[in-house]
Amino acid sequence: MAKSPLEVKPRAGDVTVSRSYPLEKIRNIAIIAHIDAGKTTVTERILYYTGRTYKLGEVHEGTAVMDWMEQEKARGITITAAATTCYWREQRINIIDTPGHIDFTAEVERCLRVLDGGVVVFDAVSGVEAQSEAVWRQADRYQVPRICFINKMDRVGADFQWSVSMIKKRLGANPIPIQLPLGSETEYYGLVDLVEKRAWRFSDEADAPREEIPIPEDARTACAEYRQSLVEKAAEFDDDILLTYLDGKEPGAEDLKRVIRSATIANKVVPVLCGSALRNKGVHTLLDAVVDYLPSPLDVPPVKAVDAKKDTEVILPPSDEAPFAALAFKVVTDPFVGRLVYLRIYSGKIKAGAEVYNASRGKRERIGRLLLMHANHREDITDADTGAIVASLGLKNTFTGDTLSTQAQPLLLESIKFPDPVVSIAVEPKSRTDQDRIGEALQKLTEEDPTFKVSYNKETGQTIISGMGELHLDVIVSRLVSEFGVQANIGNPRVAYKETVTAKVEAEGRFVQQTGGHGQYGHVWIELEPGEKGSGFEFVNRIRGATIPRNFIPSVSQGIKEAMETGTVAGYPVIDIKATLFDGSYHEVDSSEMSFKMAGILAFKAGMAKARPILLEPIMKLSVIAPQEFMGDVIGDLNSRRGRIELIETQGEICSIHCQIPLSESFGYATSLRSLTQGRATHSMQFYQYQELPPALAKDVQTAGKTHA
């Protein structure tokens, strides 16, 4: 029986972020996947095998360390991203376990923005699911190198080769299996490492060491074929491997690792591993792969920043000696210590008690305490350096996406963009005491979650909260009760409709007022037309000469943007328009920024009325996985909800239905699906785009919008 490679298990109290761990020995990674693929179980096993915990946490028992919120324990899902630090083969691994439900996509977005690598977990039975695709696209956007872990290989219906083919087909990736499973379904017992040509047997017992065994006879042919394919792919990226291959020789394991690592970091390939985290199989080799193939802060391109004083680009090398720059990527209200701000330090270092400068808001801040987080457990540290992911107390005016640097050299890092909320409900406090508390509670929740918005409707006197889905808002409401002690009545979910224009028009805005003393004079002509889908608002200045002074032009843009918050069809926000300012006039005495802002508002409202405005509704991408015997009923129900079927895939007795469905038709779908399929189907949903609402339905929405918007 062979021993595992060096597996460092420091005591939990020994954690430090001192430079005793050089940058090349640090890994900042996210665990990302579709809901129920097993992310949190993988993370719990990693913590156990690295000595970070001494007892296995189980999601289904509500004992998972990383799912520490009461709502997470009750629902058995991850809701908020949780950070921790562990050690393996003398490497420090900072891990963030992310949610898999689309309603909490902001958690994935902000984590991928600040991390260097990712482990994408797939269910060996379901393969690439809807949210798997969503998180993959998010990782693509931030160019995050990643490895794949095909989990749940012990389940009936598990298919490693099919899962790999789906990664290639559905995600457009270049997967290269570096492991092959031994046994299948309930007989799954181990794997073959194709790089090192070694086979490992794992026990169901968590504390039993992995055992090296000879490659089984019945697996040798497949292993030889897959290894040859692995070598051929490696040869595409390295001349030395190519020459060795052409000479008919076998490249060494270290050479293969070097090439696979460089190709992975360059996002040219994605290594694929397998295992069963719940049965304690394959976690050791997954940790080895994190160390061997995912990048350190030194391996990723240096981060770019903007010098706020000089408005010039600055390249920040990952070095303790470089100017200090850190990105705030998460804000949490901790009931015991207060407001926690999570930071990724890209360059330089910081000490507890130091003064920093929030370049995003132009404010000085003081780092009260620095904390190393292990889910909701905190550990005080004295300093943090480049590559560290830490939390800080004392930052009162720092929010998600802000950059912390020094006042001597204020730097701005690229912020984080989040999707707009699509579902709204009204909340009313039940008592006068709740009335006093609800405002503060909602403010803290909006600071934590950039996809959660709060507004007040003057016409109805209601407080409206908006989020990414029914589950998102359900969790918010339950947190109001459990964390802030606020009891509230909840209204029915409302859809966040939008408005836009479909014709190109010219419109005049004239704001003239004469009172005692100086009057007000602003006069503009604008051209209003449809913009590109997803463009939001585009303003073009086509003023030539001195028709309108330059200092008044931003006020026109500001006025149009303000007017866009309330459309003319049903009072919903206006999106995807282009406004061009091409003419106007001014008065030398009476013109002001305010008068031109009002002229912009009037011009927009006049143009909007003429430009054939329409209502837009949010469309969701829905994926349903159900037994084939229920396929007809599921499709019939989707058709009745204005669903548009895009693709139907079958795998054995299971079918996957992919469609587009209006958000307004999706409320209560989970209950309906359970009823139709005897509880045997699962589904996931994510926002896709806004599309025109059919005229037959627009009148009802128009009436409701004018009443409630």
Side-chain angles (χ1 to χ4, degrees), residues 95-359:
I95 301 175
I96 298 184
D97 176 34
T98 65
H101 197 286
I102 186 61
D103 282 16
F104 310 105
T105 187
E107 294 290 321
V108 183
E109 189 81 23
R110 56 175 151 207
C111 294
L112 289 175
R113 168 64 181 83
V114 299
L115 295 173
D116 303 322
V119 176
V120 189
V121 182
F122 296 93
D123 185 323
V125 177
S126 304
V128 176
E129 299 173 85
Q131 185 63 3
S132 310
E133 195 169 348
V135 298
W136 193 274
R137 302 301 176 216
Q138 287 174 298
D140 280 344
R141 189 160 59 250
Y142 292 111
Q143 297 181 325
V144 176
R146 67 217 84 147
I147 59 179
C148 296
F149 182 69
I150 310 296
N151 191 29
K152 303 187 180 183
M153 287 301 303
D154 60 318
R155 283 186 61 195
V156 174
D159 191 327
F160 179 76
Q161 284 80 8
W162 176 73
S163 297
V164 173
S165 69
M166 283 192 76
I167 292 171
K168 184 174 183 178
K169 178 182 174 183
R170 292 273 295 277
L171 304 178
N174 186 15
I176 52 168
I178 60 172
Q179 295 176 356
L180 279 185
L182 292 176
S184 61
E185 300 181 340
T186 56
E187 302 300 317
Y188 172 73
Y189 65 91
L191 57 87
V192 175
D193 184 328
L194 297 172
V195 176
E196 297 190 346
K197 295 195 289 188
R198 302 168 76 183
W200 298 97
R201 181 195 297 275
F202 298 93
S203 169
D204 283 357
E205 295 297 323
D207 293 321
R210 53 177 170 169
E211 174 190 0
E212 185 173 4
I213 59 174
I215 296 177
E217 194 71 36
D218 59 355
R220 289 185 181 178
T221 301
C223 288
E225 292 175 357
Y226 271 87
R227 192 172 199 278
Q228 182 175 347
S229 176
L230 174 62
V231 172
E232 288 173 356
K233 284 198 175 183
E236 295 176 15
F237 305 106
D238 187 85
D239 291 341
D240 292 336
I241 297 284
L242 177 60
L243 291 173
T244 302
Y245 176 69
L246 293 175
D247 287 341
K249 299 177 182 177
E250 280 279 311
E254 292 308 312
D255 287 334
L256 275 177
K257 284 183 181 180
R258 172 180 56 81
V259 175
I260 294 170
R261 176 181 176 80
S262 63
T264 301
I265 292 172
N267 276 305
K268 293 178 179 177
V269 301
V270 184
V272 183
L273 300 86
C274 61
S276 172
L278 187 64
R279 303 299 173 201
N280 311 305
K281 295 176 170 67
V283 181
H284 302 77
T285 48
L286 173 61
L287 280 162
D288 289 339
V290 168
V291 171
D292 290 337
Y293 304 120
L294 289 181
S296 73
L298 291 176
D299 296 317
V300 295
V303 69
K304 295 178 181 178
V306 173
D307 189 311
K309 282 184 178 178
K310 303 175 183 177
D311 196 25
T312 55
E313 187 176 273
V314 179
I315 303 296
L316 297 175
S319 166
D320 294 347
E321 310 307 316
F324 172 67
L327 186 71
F329 68 94
K330 184 176 170 70
V331 176
V332 174
T333 302
D334 190 293
F336 299 103
V337 296
R339 192 173 186 269
L340 280 172
V341 178
Y342 283 71
L343 305 171
R344 161 68 195 265
I345 300 177
Y346 282 98
S347 63
K349 53 188 177 182
I350 192 68
K351 290 188 176 182
E355 185 177 277
V356 294
Y357 184 70
N358 185 329

Side-chain angles (χ1 to χ4, degrees), residues 423-469:
V423 180
S424 302
I425 58 174
V427 293
E428 285 184 355
K430 287 186 176 180
S431 66
R432 178 59 64 90
T433 305
D434 294 322
Q435 176 77 49
D436 297 336
R437 293 177 182 169
I438 195 168
E440 182 183 353
L442 290 174
Q443 181 184 348
K444 289 180 179 179
L445 290 170
T446 55
E447 288 181 7
E448 287 188 23
D449 187 349
T451 59
F452 173 62
K453 306 291 183 185
V454 179
S455 60
Y456 181 73
N457 190 316
K458 294 180 182 178
E459 294 182 11
T460 63
Q462 290 180 314
T463 298
I464 307 297
I465 61 174
S466 306
M468 299 305 296

Side-chain angles (χ1 to χ4, degrees), residues 439-697:
E440 182 183 353
L442 290 174
Q443 181 184 348
K444 289 180 179 179
L445 290 170
T446 55
E447 288 181 7
E448 287 188 23
D449 187 349
T451 59
F452 173 62
K453 306 291 183 185
V454 179
S455 60
Y456 181 73
N457 190 316
K458 294 180 182 178
E459 294 182 11
T460 63
Q462 290 180 314
T463 298
I464 307 297
I465 61 174
S466 306
M468 299 305 296
E470 289 180 276
L471 178 60
H472 186 194
L473 294 180
D474 189 31
V475 168
I476 291 287
V477 171
S478 64
R479 289 186 65 189
L480 282 175
V481 176
S482 62
E483 293 180 29
F484 300 97
V486 176
Q487 300 288 335
N489 295 316
I490 308 302
N492 292 324
R494 293 202 306 118
V495 178
Y497 293 99
K498 305 287 187 187
E499 298 181 22
T500 194
V501 299
T502 58
K504 184 176 180 179
V505 298
E506 292 182 356
E508 181 184 23
R510 181 187 291 270
F511 181 70
V512 181
Q513 281 189 349
Q514 190 62 50
T515 57
H518 287 307
Q520 295 283 350
Y521 184 93
H523 175 220
V524 298
W525 276 94
I526 65 170
E527 195 175 74
L528 206 60
E529 60 186 304
E532 295 289 328
K533 186 167 285 188
S535 61
F537 171 57
E538 182 184 358
F539 179 77
V540 178
N541 173 25
R542 217 167 64 203
I543 293 291
R544 296 292 178 264
T547 310
I548 299 175
R550 292 176 59 186
N551 58 307
F552 293 147
I553 290 172
S555 299
V556 180
S557 173
Q558 185 181 353
I560 295 173
K561 285 179 69 175
E562 188 174 301
M564 286 173 60
E565 294 176 6
T566 307
T568 59
V569 180
Y572 290 103
V574 182
I575 61 170
D576 300 344
I577 66 163
K578 179 180 178 181
T580 302
L581 175 64
F582 68 90
D583 200 3
S585 62
Y586 75 103
H587 189 280
E588 289 186 358
V589 176
D590 292 345
S591 288
S592 64
E593 292 181 356
M594 176 58 71
S595 59
F596 273 93
K597 178 181 175 182
M598 291 302 299
I601 292 174
L602 294 172
F604 172 80
K605 289 187 178 297
M608 184 81 179
K610 296 189 295 183
R612 296 204 299 271
I614 58 170
L615 277 172
L616 301 174
E617 63 175 339
I619 302 296
M620 313 298 285
K621 275 199 170 183
L622 173 68
S623 294
V624 181
I625 299 175
Q628 282 203 41
E629 60 189 282
F630 302 112
M631 185 171 69
D633 292 336
V634 172
I635 291 175
D637 182 58
L638 290 173
N639 288 333
S640 72
R641 295 171 180 267
R642 295 195 285 135
R644 191 172 74 198
I645 308 297
E646 293 182 311
L647 177 67
I648 298 175
E649 297 177 309
T650 57
Q651 171 73 11
E653 295 299 316
I654 300 296
C655 72
S656 299
I657 303 166
H658 306 273
C659 75
Q660 295 178 22
I661 183 173
L663 175 66
S664 59
E665 304 286 353
S666 70
F667 297 135
Y669 183 68
T671 303
S672 175
L673 184 64
R674 280 196 297 269
S675 175
L676 287 171
T677 63
Q678 301 172 11
R680 294 168 61 190
T682 60
H683 79 290
S684 63
M685 200 161 39
Q686 65 188 80
F687 173 72
Y688 175 49
Q689 64 179 17
Y690 274 91
Q691 291 181 2
E692 182 177 355
L693 181 68
L697 301 173

